[in-house]
Amino acid sequence: MASLITCPHCGVRPKEEFAVRGDASLIRPASSASDAAWHDYVYVRVNPRGRTLEHWHHVAGCRRFLVVERDTVTHEVYSVVDGAAAAREVRR
Amino acid sequence: MTAYRLSSGGLLDRSKVLSFTFDGRPLRGFAGDTLASALLANDQLLVGRSFKYHRPRGIVSAGPSEPNALMTLGSGARSDPNTKATVAELYAGLTAKSQNRWPSLGFDVGAVNGLLSPFLGAGFYYKTFMWPRQLWEMLYEPVIRRAAGLGRAVLERDPESYEKSWAFCDLLIVGGGPAGLMAALTAGRAGLRVILADEDFRLGGSLLGETETIDGSPAPAFAERVVAELLSLDNVTLLPRTTVFGWYDDNVFGAVERVQKHVAEPSATLPTERVWRIAAKRALLATGAEERPLVFGGNDCPGVMMASAIGTYAQRYGVSAGKSVAIFTSGSSGYRTARGLVARGVTVSTIVDSRPEATEAAPDGVRVIRSGAIVDTKGRKRLSGIVIERSGFEELIACDALGMSGGWSPVIHLACQRGARPVWSEDLKAFSAPDVGGGLRVVGSANGVYTLSGCLRDGAEKATTIAVELGFNAAEASLPVIENEAEPSFAALWYVPGAKSKAFVDFQNDVHARDLGLALREGFGHVEHAKRYTTSGMATDQGKLSNVNAVGILAGMRGVSPAEVGTTTFRPFYTPVSFGALAGTSRDGHATPTRKSPLHEWARKNGATFVDSGLWFRSAWFPRAGEKTWRESVDREVLNVRANVGLCDVATLGKIEVFGADAAEFLNRLYCNPMLKLPVGKARYGLMLREDGFVFDDGTVSRLAEDQFFVTTTTAMAGAVMSHMDYCAQVLWPDLKVRFCSVSDQWAQMAIAGPKARDVLQQLIDEDISEAVFPFLAARSMVLRGGINARLFRISFSGELAFELAVPAGYGEAVAEQIMEAGRAHGICAYGVEALNVLRLEKGHLTHAEFDGRVTPDDAGLGRMVSAQKPDFIGKHLSARYGLTAADRMQLVGLKPVDRDKDMRAGAHLLKEGMKPSTLNDQGWVSSAGYSPVLGHHIALAFLKSGRERYGEKIVVWDKLRDHEMIAEVCDPAFVDPENKKLKA
């Protein structure tokens, strides 16, 4: 896990300021979606080796949810973007 | 047979005599000594007993790799166990005690283990104390732990203070030897922000023990000149006494600075130790190389030391390790050390060289035995001679100190702490650092460069490269001229054959060569297995001296290259770091914040007893004169609220203000019950679910304006709800026009409950708050008499006619006092969370004791709240799934004891009468219980299988924890005022 995260709003900050929520690639299904879709969304998680997208909540900073793309093996952080911006992007 | 202080020389201030004690014996040393050098100067070579066999052990090294000279420094609460005497800076008044001996260092009863050693091989404890298993924890482990052991931690409170700090730099240099100093000088002159950290109290590293001259002056003088220039540069920070213990992601390093470990009376204004986290753009690992011991018979006899350590003691500390020194070497370093010793006037009698074809010349008068091997040593508590074997002939040579020189291993730990493995180098005959990228480069002898000029050049060149990378102009460094330079070479020698007594690999853990053989034979030949099986490379020194030899021996036995055996895993910490330093200031009240309600002072003045509730202090009850138990106070408070009126601090509730055109839509999606059409001026009880359909939190939602809401959460979940709302607003529905912020600390909120609540409150408010104008669930801003802006909510947790009044936090205390004053004629009392809990229990209102994460709205009797009309809300889909709607789920009920004198406690399980307690027969559990002064007996809320159909049934309340069993009657959870008459009065 990274020691430092470059928050797009606050700059380089230590990881202790963040809370990791988990997989940021999940998309919340419509309430009318199938049970299977909801089951996957709520309960099923991959445990990737390598690149992964995670939501990091900057609790001790701007309180924004960030999408952190990082490598679970090398711990390299490839990108950090604001979660709302990323969510709008997905919707587009 | 004595070690002694040389008459001159060494980097000491001989005018400053420092008195200290070792095992109670008063001794003296000089400023500039380590504890080890001072002990040696006093001929105190025996410093400890070994871990398992309690063999006498002496000082081996002159640095942090020391396996033997572990001592307890200081006394009482300020004592530090397992301190390495070789790095402990001597100070006046230091008290040192040896460890792991009884009754004394000279006579140790445990040494009988040495006689039993044929039975105490590797894995002995595992094999012998296998059964009976129960005895392991009760008997074997405590006894073994007492017999084998290191120092003991004291149980007294640590009086020291510690702190943590961040540092940022362009270049961190780990190690202040020739390469590190040269790099710092080059980078410092180029203008980089440089931090140079070295574990020693004096910068210079190997320069402090070198015999070479640099630019015509002795090596230590050169080091002093460089340090002086570095001190003059504002962009350079020197951190002596600082061990960089870990390399972490993003080039962040952990370091511990021993700010005042070296003083008898620490200053109260400074921390004892400081942990640094250093974020470095670039780093250089200039940690040098470690000389390797040789594994031969009797190599643990006190007086057998690292050759380089004997050299360092002579050069830097002006101490000779003995009257007659012998050197056992597999390379040129042994000769170099011998030359240095002779130059300092130390008598060197013999050099035993394992190599047949060595060409190095020994100093005059020193006998050289080539192709020789030491197979045994003489002497018990002090070396008296060595047995040499050459071509089948043995010879006994008298000596009182022996230096071993088995070649060099680069110190590369930090470079291997992030997953990269060391690489075996056939050239260096050692493991070298892996390429870990430009962030951390290895330099000098840590990089396998063993000449002084090479180290200086490597340091300058790498610093220049880094300066250029970071955009600085680095001038070409002028490198100093070195005279009498030696080019070291050595043959790898993992094990000296023909040992006549135990040949130790790991001194600290008493692992000898045959233990490794046993491990291999028994199937533990993998290096990680062998480590665990034999304990080689464990404990405080982590095998800094022993690991490479252990790998070499395993490789030899397996007939493979050390490259194939590999090393064990390097992890932080490089050397042990005290828990105090790691905790920093985070202890006692500083470990977590303390949250005090804005009404805290009011509660205190009214005599509250406080209770920890998460981070909060909450007023639990308000005892009055004559009340002997908390129950008496709580019963009185409850009865008074039901009969008259009470005031309770509810400011700890989470409070969130929500704004925006889509605020109603946002809340409508957050709560399972409808919020969209909540009228302005109204409050509503709201239930939030998790996405999996279970209850997340409850609270109230009040609409203050079309686009402004005031939301409360439970005290415990305030943070979690806020984070959940952040997630929903930012990630799930980023297009909703909504903003919100926590106002938990901005409002002092208090409940005024009881039949006379309105009469009391009306005295503070001009506006009419009668039932007709301000009915149940009314909520709006109003101005108190005197002009304080307030918010008033007609909501009730107690079940009484009740209001919650919120005023700006700073006015809380004054307003609370005013209410108490206004209520005096009505018999108002302050009540705490205990009474609040009884009141809600009597009413059947719920808390997180009920909403424990396994409860659905329907389980809690709130199923009708869940909106069927709303297109979506958090938890909608999965709350309707099979399993969450089953008829035999545990449902909320009330319980009344059949025998009214019996009590119930939360956590008890429910059983049908006559059924055996089992998971299968489990009918439910008690979630909350307490004594109801209104009803005059205990009551409980419980979850019971299909509970709502079972009112009137008798059920067993089975409480195995307290060995308590009783019969209760199942009933409606609303014990008091089920028709809400009081609530809506």
Side-chain angles (χ1 to χ4, degrees):
Chain A
M1 189 168 288
S3 302
L4 303 171
I5 291 292
T6 305
C7 171
H9 310 293
C10 311
V12 179
R13 305 301 307 167
K15 70 163 185 286
E16 288 75 11
E17 291 186 356
F18 299 82
V20 183
R21 185 186 161 105
D23 194 348
S25 64
L26 300 167
I27 294 173
R28 187 173 184 267
S31 73
S32 56
S34 68
D35 283 357
W38 273 98
H39 175 265
D40 285 355
Y41 173 69
V42 173
Y43 293 109
V44 180
R45 294 292 179 272
V46 286
N47 184 16
R49 188 180 194 283
R51 278 190 186 234
T52 181
L53 290 170
E54 285 170 337
H55 274 129
W56 287 47
H57 190 197
H58 198 180
V59 260
C62 56
R63 291 203 65 91
R64 297 294 293 179
F65 272 87
L66 310 176
V67 175
V68 175
E69 185 180 20
R70 65 178 196 100
D71 193 305
T72 58
V73 179
T74 65
H75 297 187
E76 190 179 342
V77 174
Y78 301 109
S79 66
V80 184
V81 296
D82 185 79
R88 286 196 197 98
E89 195 66 33
V90 167
R91 217 150 295 183
R92 212 158 280 151
Chain B
M1 49 154 268
T2 43
Y4 61 97
R5 181 80 73 182
L6 297 164
S7 58
S8 66
L11 306 173
L12 303 166
D13 182 352
R14 292 189 186 230
S15 68
K16 268 196 200 149
V17 176
L18 306 177
S19 302
F20 68 103
T21 65
F22 176 68
D23 281 347
R25 194 156 72 95
L27 299 170
R28 278 150 33 124
F30 294 126
D33 262 326
T34 60
L35 175 56
S37 69
L39 286 170
L40 266 185
N42 286 280
D43 195 29
Q44 181 64 53
L45 198 72
L46 175 64
V47 289
R49 289 278 175 170
S50 74
F51 191 69
K52 198 156 83 174
Y53 306 124
H54 291 249
R55 286 165 75 103
R57 288 283 163 79
I59 296 162
V60 168
S61 76
S65 58
E66 177 61 33
N68 289 346
L70 303 181
M71 321 206 156
T72 299
L73 263 49
S75 57
R78 290 199 68 218
S79 60
D80 265 325
N82 303 333
T83 306
K84 295 175 184 80
T86 48
V87 295
E89 189 173 349
L90 191 69
Y91 58 85
L94 181 150
T95 58
K97 283 193 288 286
S98 58
Q99 300 177 164
N100 198 31
R101 81 285 188 271
W102 184 85
S104 75
L105 188 55
F107 176 76
D108 180 12
V109 168
V112 70
N113 274 5
L115 303 176
L116 300 174
S117 66
F119 309 105
L120 289 175
F124 166 75
Y125 294 120
Y126 304 136
K127 292 171 195 164
T128 312
F129 298 108
M130 286 282 283
W131 54 269
R133 279 184 59 168
Q134 309 87 285
L135 283 185
W136 177 251
E137 262 178 48
M138 291 159 50
L139 180 65
Y140 300 146
E141 196 186 356
V143 169
I144 292 167
R145 280 208 186 279
R146 204 174 322 137
L150 300 162
R152 275 162 214 281
V154 288
L155 297 175
E156 286 156 79
R157 208 191 137 71
D158 186 352
E160 316 275 9
S161 65
Y162 304 90
E163 71 176 30
K164 291 197 214 181
S165 194
W166 277 92
F168 300 85
C169 61
D170 296 314
L171 175 62
L172 169 69
I173 299 165
V174 185
L181 283 180
M182 201 62 207
L185 193 62
T186 310
R189 283 173 176 169
L192 279 76
R193 277 192 305 167
V194 177
I195 294 176
L196 172 68
D198 193 290
E199 59 200 346
D200 206 326
F201 54 89
R202 187 173 182 131
L203 295 175
S206 65
L207 291 171
L208 306 178
E210 289 290 359
T211 51
E212 280 98 338
T213 56
I214 304 176
D215 279 349
S217 58
F222 170 76
E224 210 165 315
R225 274 208 312 276
V226 174
V227 170
E229 182 175 344
L230 291 174
L231 280 170
S232 74
L233 296 173
D234 289 341
N235 53 321
V236 176
T237 305
L238 299 182
L239 291 176
R241 302 187 177 93
T242 302
T243 305
V244 179
F245 56 70
W247 180 41
Y248 303 95
D249 289 334
D250 303 310
N251 240 28
V252 173
F253 292 80
V256 60
E257 181 184 2
R258 289 167 291 277
V259 180
Q260 44 176 355
K261 273 288 190 194
H262 57 293
V263 294
E265 293 294 329
S267 153
T269 58
L270 285 172
T272 302
E273 293 183 272
R274 182 185 287 130
V275 163
W276 287 100
R277 285 201 287 169
I278 303 171
K281 287 185 188 154
R282 298 285 188 280
L284 282 175
L285 194 59
T287 40
E290 191 80 65
E291 197 171 22
R292 295 207 284 255
L294 289 166
V295 182
F296 58 90
N299 63 345
D300 70 327
C301 183
V304 180
M305 300 168 68
M306 301 313 306
S308 58
I310 294 180
T312 298
Y313 285 120
Q315 307 294 342
R316 178 173 170 185
Y317 300 107
V319 177
S320 174
K323 290 273 191 216
S324 173
V325 178
I327 303 282
F328 185 17
T329 187
S330 69
S332 63
S333 288
Y335 294 84
R336 184 157 159 256
T337 301
R339 275 196 301 277
L341 290 173
V342 169
R344 294 287 288 114
V346 175
T347 306
V348 179
S349 70
T350 317
I351 295 176
V352 183
D353 191 330
S354 66
R355 301 167 301 170
E357 284 149 8
T359 54
E360 287 88 348
D364 287 346
V366 177
R367 180 181 167 202
V368 178
I369 301 174
R370 300 200 201 275
S371 202
I374 299 179
V375 293
D376 205 359
T377 58
K378 298 292 174 192
R380 246 186 76 70
K381 290 176 207 164
R382 180 67 201 246
L383 186 70
S384 63
I386 50 177
V387 180
I388 295 166
E389 195 203 79
R390 181 164 57 164
S391 318
F393 293 96
E394 281 184 12
E395 181 184 350
L396 175 68
I397 291 178
C399 63
D400 58 358
L402 174 69
M404 344 175 235
S405 179
W408 296 86
S409 304
V411 177
I412 52 168
H413 299 62
L414 287 176
C416 304
Q417 284 182 349
R418 285 173 61 196
R421 313 290 296 198
V423 182
W424 175 255
S425 161
E426 204 53 54
D427 285 346
L428 298 173
K429 294 171 209 73
F431 285 98
S432 61
D435 181 358
V436 289
L440 177 65
R441 291 180 172 93
V442 190
V443 66
S445 51
N447 188 34
V449 176
Y450 287 143
T451 60
L452 184 51
S453 60
C455 286
L456 294 170
R457 189 181 320 113
D458 201 19
E461 283 175 1
K462 289 206 167 114
T464 305
T465 306
I466 287 167
V468 170
E469 278 175 9
L470 297 179
F472 291 84
N473 291 319
E476 187 82 17
S478 62
L479 290 166
V481 180
I482 319 287
E483 287 151 42
N484 346 316
E485 186 159 59
E487 181 82 46
S489 67
F490 62 90
L493 178 58
W494 308 121
Y495 177 67
V496 181
K500 296 258 189 301
S501 57
K502 282 195 185 67
F504 284 89
V505 180
D506 184 327
F507 298 115
Q508 183 162 108
N509 295 296
D510 261 359
V511 178
H512 51 95
R514 287 171 58 180
D515 288 330
L516 289 167
L518 183 69
L520 183 64
R521 284 199 304 283
E522 298 196 339
F524 297 96
H526 187 283
V527 64
E528 296 281 11
H529 291 156
K531 171 175 175 173
R532 273 80 192 171
Y533 197 64
T534 64
T535 69
S536 179
M538 289 195 177
T540 68
D541 69 341
Q542 286 289 298
K544 287 188 176 57
L545 288 180
S546 65
N547 278 350
V548 182
N549 282 337
V551 169
I553 290 169
L554 284 171
M557 290 187 301
R558 281 163 55 182
V560 298
S561 154
E564 200 166 316
V565 174
T567 64
T568 51
T569 310
F570 292 85
R571 296 186 180 89
F573 300 87
Y574 172 67
T575 45
V577 178
S578 69
F579 283 115
L582 294 173
T585 53
S586 298
R587 51 195 265 183
D588 304 325
H590 300 291
T592 50
T594 300
R595 298 186 77 180
K596 283 183 182 166
S597 149
L599 296 170
H600 188 86
E601 271 309 295
W602 164 80
R604 199 186 53 76
K605 283 182 195 156
N606 280 271
T609 299
F610 290 96
V611 63
D612 285 356
S613 174
L615 300 175
W616 289 101
F617 274 112
R618 299 188 72 175
S619 37
W621 62 88
F622 294 81
R624 284 190 183 168
E627 288 170 351
K628 288 183 193 68
T629 65
W630 67 273
R631 259 280 306 281
E632 282 181 50
S633 308
V634 172
D635 288 355
R636 170 185 48 76
E637 290 170 18
V638 170
L639 291 170
N640 196 62
V641 170
R642 295 267 184 243
N644 299 311
V645 58
L647 173 60
C648 183
D649 175 7
V650 293
T652 61
L653 292 177
K655 298 180 274 301
I656 300 166
E657 196 119 346
V658 186
F659 304 89
D662 291 329
E665 172 64 25
F666 178 62
L667 294 173
N668 203 44
R669 294 183 195 181
L670 274 182
Y671 288 90
C672 73
N673 51 320
M675 290 294 173
L676 200 55
K677 291 180 182 147
L678 177 65
V680 174
K682 280 287 179 191
R684 183 171 290 170
Y685 177 67
L687 208 52
M688 280 190 201
L689 306 187
R690 300 189 310 224
E691 206 68 277
D692 63 5
F694 294 99
V695 175
F696 174 44
D697 196 43
D698 68 341
T700 57
V701 177
S702 303
R703 194 167 200 167
L704 301 174
E706 199 57 37
D707 58 354
Q708 184 187 0
F709 291 80
F710 178 76
V711 167
T712 66
T713 74
T714 58
T715 300
M717 297 298 263
V721 169
M722 187 72 190
S723 290
H724 176 63
M725 287 171 64
D726 281 337
Y727 182 78
C728 292
Q730 295 170 33
V731 178
L732 297 186
W733 312 308
D735 296 325
L736 286 185
K737 294 185 181 64
V738 61
R739 292 286 183 272
F740 47 88
C741 63
S742 165
V743 293
S744 294
D745 294 323
Q746 276 65 33
W747 293 98
Q749 195 152 328
M750 51 203 108
I752 302 100
K756 297 174 185 167
R758 186 184 292 119
D759 301 337
V760 173
L761 211 48
Q762 188 69 74
Q763 297 176 52
L764 278 75
I765 302 170
D766 284 329
E767 284 186 55
D768 184 2
I769 55 167
S770 66
E771 172 67 17
V773 180
F774 201 79
F776 183 57
L777 296 178
R780 60 189 162 84
S781 300
M782 47 182 73
V783 181
L784 300 187
R785 278 183 194 156
I788 295 171
N789 287 312
R791 287 169 178 177
L792 190 64
F793 311 90
R794 177 83 191 276
I795 51 181
S796 174
F797 195 41
S798 57
E800 292 299 317
L801 163 66
F803 298 84
E804 286 191 12
L805 177 68
V807 295
Y811 293 113
E813 198 183 330
V815 171
E817 273 165 15
Q818 214 182 345
I819 294 171
M820 292 299 281
E821 192 51 44
R824 194 185 308 192
H826 298 280
I828 197 168
C829 75
Y831 67 103
V833 286
E834 285 295 340
L836 184 70
N837 191 46
V838 173
L839 290 162
R840 71 95 192 172
L841 200 54
E842 289 179 335
K843 179 66 183 169
H845 279 165
L846 308 179
T847 68
H848 277 289
E850 282 69 43
F851 298 135
D852 64 358
R854 302 173 294 174
V855 167
T856 68
D858 187 63
D859 296 345
L862 302 170
R864 67 193 181 297
M865 283 180 70
V866 182
S867 165
Q869 274 76 48
K870 287 201 281 188
D872 194 8
F873 58 84
I874 297 289
K876 177 178 167 77
H877 187 98
L878 288 184
S879 63
R881 66 184 145 147
Y882 175 78
L884 263 61
T885 53
D888 66 342
R889 287 188 60 83
M890 311 279 182
Q891 294 171 338
L892 183 78
V893 295
L895 295 178
K896 290 189 273 201
V898 170
D899 177 347
R900 293 292 196 238
D901 295 335
K902 291 271 174 71
D903 69 343
M904 298 171 278
R905 302 263 190 100
H909 276 255
L910 307 178
L911 293 163
K912 283 184 176 163
E913 279 188 276
M915 296 301 278
K916 229 176 91 211
S918 74
T919 314
L920 208 62
N921 291 338
D922 188 21
Q923 290 287 300
W925 67 88
V926 176
S927 55
S928 305
Y931 178 78
S932 164
V934 171
L935 300 174
H937 59 78
H938 277 79
I939 55 172
L941 294 179
F943 286 88
L944 175 67
K945 239 175 215 186
S946 312
R948 284 195 291 272
E949 300 162 9
R950 296 168 68 175
Y951 292 171
E953 189 181 319
K954 305 275 190 297
I955 195 115
V956 176
V957 179
W958 178 78
D959 189 348
K960 186 64 184 169
L961 269 181
R962 286 170 281 265
D963 240 341
H964 183 71
E965 209 177 294
M966 49 94 73
I967 311 279
E969 185 193 326
V970 180
C971 63
D972 188 302
F975 296 92
V976 169
D977 189 29
E979 305 85 18
N980 290 335
K981 281 187 190 139
K982 294 173 73 110
L983 194 66
K984 297 181 178 169

